[in-house]
Amino acid sequence: MILAQLPRFHLSILTKSPSSSLSSPHFNLLNHRSNPPVSLARTLFSFAPKSNLSTVEPIPLPVSDSSDLDEAPVEISLDKLFIPPETDISGDDPSSLTARVLKGSNIVLSKYARDAQVAQADYVKSSVRTEDCPADGLPEFALVGRSNVGKSSLLNSLVRRKRLALTSKKPVSCQWGKTQCINHFRINDNWYLVDLPGYGYASAPHELKQDWNKFTKDYFLNRSTLVSVFLLVDASIPPKQIDLDYASWLGQNQVPMTMVFTKCDKRKKKKNGGKRPEENIKEFQDLIQGFFEATPPWIMTSSVTNQGRDEILLHMAQLRNYWLKH
Ligand code: GDP
């Protein structure tokens, strides 16, 4: 069972939010509201294609990895957890609830967390319009983020390949490359990982940027098989306005979203003015708080240490399996 394989990790669940978070020696992601958690996803999984999931054994999660060594304890208040639909936490005391939260995230495991392994990954096609995307009704997850956020590295790490995603340092159109297309990769023949164009590339012509916005926004709003957008945010730097704008837009348009914080292995020294990933993440969370009815799921990752890899796959699995059933 997956739950039995969960690692011990530095996380504790708070039932009340203390008034100050940064003054605490612990990193706190705390809510200032006292509402019980309400899952955004609850209202957003309304499509029901046929399931053709294969039965694969659940992935064992690592007991620890190198990224644990200097990880500060994370405290999350109850109302900042992401509780997947049909997940009852009322019988859990804080310690058993802690054991149900995916490492480095606010995501509670549900009964749908299974079949998370990636056994096969195939590039399928690149599309320039939502209508041209695969029409087989399989569920999909779209990865999006600022150029250089680490999207290609994460995609490759998820499928354990060196170069599944096509990497490019410059935005080019579909005539020359794939980075400005909606790129579909089929996983295990039953779901898709979708690579969307990176945004915010400084030297892109203004008009081209406008097009990307229209193109990706149309995909977010009209792709009926999109289970969740995974918005990648670089945790090694302070929040950027363009990422906040994207998060805000997704929140306002009720597009289901998971925040994936990348490059969490980069730990800058305080004396140089840099902040630790946890501090940047907290700042980002605070800034986007007003955009969402409930805290969206978030997860810390590193493509260098593979931190968060198995956890993302489990999160995708539980969203997908729920979506397939409803
Ligand atoms: P993309 O433009 O979003 O696809 O970003 P890439 O995956 O090409 O990565 C951009 C740069 O960030 C490259 O130099 C990567 O080596 C580096 N990078 C990506 N992920 C990580 C990570 O998790 N940790 C660190 N330290 N560097 C990373």
Side-chain angles (χ1 to χ4, degrees):
M1 273 301 294
I2 279 186
L3 292 182
Q5 292 165 344
L6 276 176
R8 291 172 60 83
F9 58 98
H10 312 300
L11 185 143
S12 56
I13 307 294
L14 303 178
T15 48
K16 284 193 186 148
S17 304
S19 51
S20 164
S21 53
L22 271 181
S23 59
S24 158
H26 291 173
F27 164 55
N28 299 316
L29 283 160
L30 301 171
N31 197 1
H32 304 291
R33 293 168 293 176
S34 55
N35 303 337
V38 180
S39 166
L40 181 67
R42 197 171 291 158
T43 54
L44 296 168
F45 297 101
S46 53
F47 314 103
K50 281 201 180 112
S51 169
N52 59 354
L53 282 178
S54 59
T55 47
V56 205
E57 281 303 298
I59 46 171
L61 291 174
V63 171
S64 67
D65 57 42
S66 56
S67 63
D68 286 342
L69 298 174
D70 55 354
E71 238 173 50
V74 175
E75 290 180 354
I76 304 175
S77 65
L78 251 188
D79 50 352
K80 285 279 192 177
L81 288 176
F82 172 73
I83 318 284
E86 290 182 19
T87 305
D88 181 15
I89 59 161
S90 57
D92 288 79
D93 59 30
S95 64
S96 64
L97 186 54
T98 296
R100 289 178 66 184
V101 178
L102 283 170
K103 185 177 175 183
S105 84
N106 69 334
I107 301 164
V108 175
L109 271 179
S110 76
K111 62 181 178 182
Y112 292 104
R114 57 175 185 272
D115 304 333
Q117 286 168 321
V118 173
Q120 195 188 337
D122 302 297
Y123 166 73
V124 176
K125 71 180 293 195
S126 296
S127 316
V128 282
R129 298 177 313 166
T130 311
E131 307 90 273
D132 301 330
C133 293
D136 50 17
L138 295 177
E140 65 192 41
F141 300 94
L143 270 50
V144 71
R146 211 163 29 80
S147 300
N148 223 36
V149 71
K151 184 159 55 72
S152 311
S153 307
L154 184 73
L155 195 51
N156 287 318
S157 146
L158 289 175
V159 301
R160 290 195 196 277
R161 290 228 195 135
K162 284 270 184 288
R163 275 180 64 85
L164 178 72
L166 297 155
T167 50
S168 169
K169 291 294 157 213
K170 285 194 172 179
V172 286
S173 83
C174 276
Q175 282 90 335
W176 303 297
K178 311 285 189 202
T179 56
Q180 293 316 311
C181 298
I182 306 170
N183 299 308
H184 276 78
F185 299 91
R186 193 164 48 228
I187 310 297
N188 301 347
D189 264 336
N190 55 36
W191 57 282
Y192 289 108
L193 269 176
V194 182
D195 185 16
L196 292 178
Y199 55 78
Y201 192 84
S203 63
H206 181 66
E207 278 181 25
L208 190 56
K209 268 201 226 171
Q210 293 290 334
D211 269 1
W212 298 344
N213 289 340
K214 217 171 109 209
F215 155 101
T216 45
K217 283 177 181 172
D218 179 72
Y219 168 84
F220 292 143
L221 296 175
N222 297 314
R223 182 67 172 160
S224 62
T225 49
L226 177 63
V227 181
S228 178
V229 173
F230 280 59
L231 178 67
L232 275 58
V233 176
D234 187 341
S236 70
I237 54 172
K240 290 231 174 220
Q241 190 57 45
I242 194 164
D243 294 327
L244 296 167
D245 290 346
Y246 256 75
S248 159
W249 188 89
L250 291 167
Q252 278 164 17
N253 287 280
Q254 300 207 315
V255 179
M257 181 189 83
T258 297
M259 267 175 299
V260 177
F261 292 104
T262 62
K263 308 189 186 182
C264 290
D265 58 284
K266 283 184 152 186
R267 307 195 155 266
K268 294 201 177 122
K269 294 220 168 70
K270 275 225 156 162
K271 62 180 178 188
N272 298 333
K275 290 189 173 166
R276 299 171 60 238
E278 288 84 350
E279 292 170 296
N280 292 325
I281 291 171
K282 176 179 179 347
E283 204 179 327
F284 196 89
Q285 303 270 358
D286 286 348
L287 289 167
I288 65 161
Q289 185 160 242
F291 306 155
F292 299 92
E293 204 178 300
T295 308
W298 58 263
I299 188 157
M300 296 169 72
T301 68
S302 161
S303 302
V304 172
T305 64
N306 278 330
Q307 178 188 358
R309 177 192 182 272
D310 294 337
E311 289 78 4
I312 284 195
L313 290 174
L314 271 171
H315 175 54
M316 286 178 170
Q318 65 183 9
L319 293 181
R320 194 172 67 239
N321 290 328
Y322 175 82
W323 187 89
L324 285 164
K325 253 197 114 188
H326 293 83

